[in-house]
Amino acid sequence: MRKGQLELTDLSGSEFMSLVSQQARSEESGSISSQYERELCRGDTHVGALGVRACDAVVGAISYGKLALPRHPGKVSLRIDVVVTRRHCRKMGIGALLIAALINKFAKELGPNLHHVSVMAVHPAMIQVFSKLNFERAAPNVPLYSRLLNERELLDMQRQTDGIVNLKLRDLKALCVPCRRFERHAPWCAAEG
């Protein structure tokens, strides 16, 4: 990938776990770990990771698991696992972009078979993103947020996540313009010093 380029891309389990281990501590929520670590590293098909790559660096990533719902034949539950962003790229909307892009991807791929999306969220910024996407909290003292999707809800979710993805990608790509134009410009995606 050339300097000044930005893309959403699938990541291997080892690439995702490498990012998690590099960024394994968050001041707000403690250590970060994946419930799907073994499956991600084995390359199981029911789990995966999506990342934002800027230049040659992965600046953020999200992992997930897809579970078949036995009580609803053919239906799938999407479980959002871990959202991680490089420290120097935080507060830029990368987490919101990843969440929206992941939900949008599976809403389009699975269509009406996407029945449910859930996440355990403790970080205030992530709780805010899921609240804006109309996820409901399971109980006051439980950090489980979820959203059931019927046909209308699915279309609303697709429209909403399309808007977020387009807006966040546009904002981040605007930061890439100086890198493409000026050879000496330091990329925003590269850590300082």
Side-chain angles (χ1 to χ4, degrees), residues 18-185:
S18 174
L19 179 65
V20 168
S21 69
Q22 293 167 13
Q23 308 299 316
R25 185 91 182 125
S26 169
E27 300 78 27
E28 295 89 358
S29 58
S31 63
I32 302 167
S33 62
S34 171
Q35 65 177 327
Y36 299 123
E37 182 173 358
R38 269 193 309 261
E39 293 92 339
L40 281 164
C41 290
R42 280 195 314 250
D44 288 4
T45 58
H46 71 282
V47 299
L50 181 68
V52 175
R53 192 179 304 276
C55 296
D56 285 325
V58 175
V59 295
I62 186 169
S63 61
Y64 62 87
K66 297 180 295 184
L67 300 162
L69 298 172
R71 287 191 235 161
H72 304 280
K75 302 284 185 174
V76 174
S77 176
L78 175 62
R79 306 273 171 94
I80 297 172
D81 181 35
V82 173
V83 180
V84 61
T85 305
R86 291 198 181 277
R87 285 178 189 86
H88 67 280
C89 296
R90 291 186 182 152
K91 299 186 189 236
M92 298 176 80
I94 294 171
L97 167 63
L98 288 162
I99 291 163
L102 181 71
I103 294 170
N104 192 276
K105 171 184 175 169
F106 285 107
K108 288 178 179 173
E109 278 182 23
L110 298 171
N113 290 327
L114 180 58
H115 181 70
H116 178 258
V117 182
S118 66
V119 64
M120 295 291 280
V122 293
H123 191 283
M126 293 296 97
I127 292 169
Q128 184 178 18
V129 170
F130 289 109
S131 294
K132 285 180 181 178
L133 290 172
N134 298 319
F135 278 63
E136 294 180 3
R137 191 172 190 159
N141 295 327
V142 179
L144 174 64
Y145 294 80
S146 64
R147 184 165 174 189
L148 285 172
L149 300 169
N150 60 32
E151 204 170 315
R152 186 183 60 75
E153 291 272 331
L154 183 65
L155 290 173
D156 288 346
M157 179 72 84
Q158 279 182 291
R159 273 194 294 275
Q160 194 174 13
T161 55
D162 267 336
I164 294 168
V165 169
N166 291 333
L167 178 67
K168 298 295 182 187
L169 278 176
R170 184 199 70 199
D171 291 348
L172 291 172
K173 285 180 178 180
L175 296 173
C176 295
V177 170
C179 290
R180 290 193 303 269
R181 288 194 178 151
F182 307 108
E183 198 58 41
R184 293 183 305 229
H185 190 278

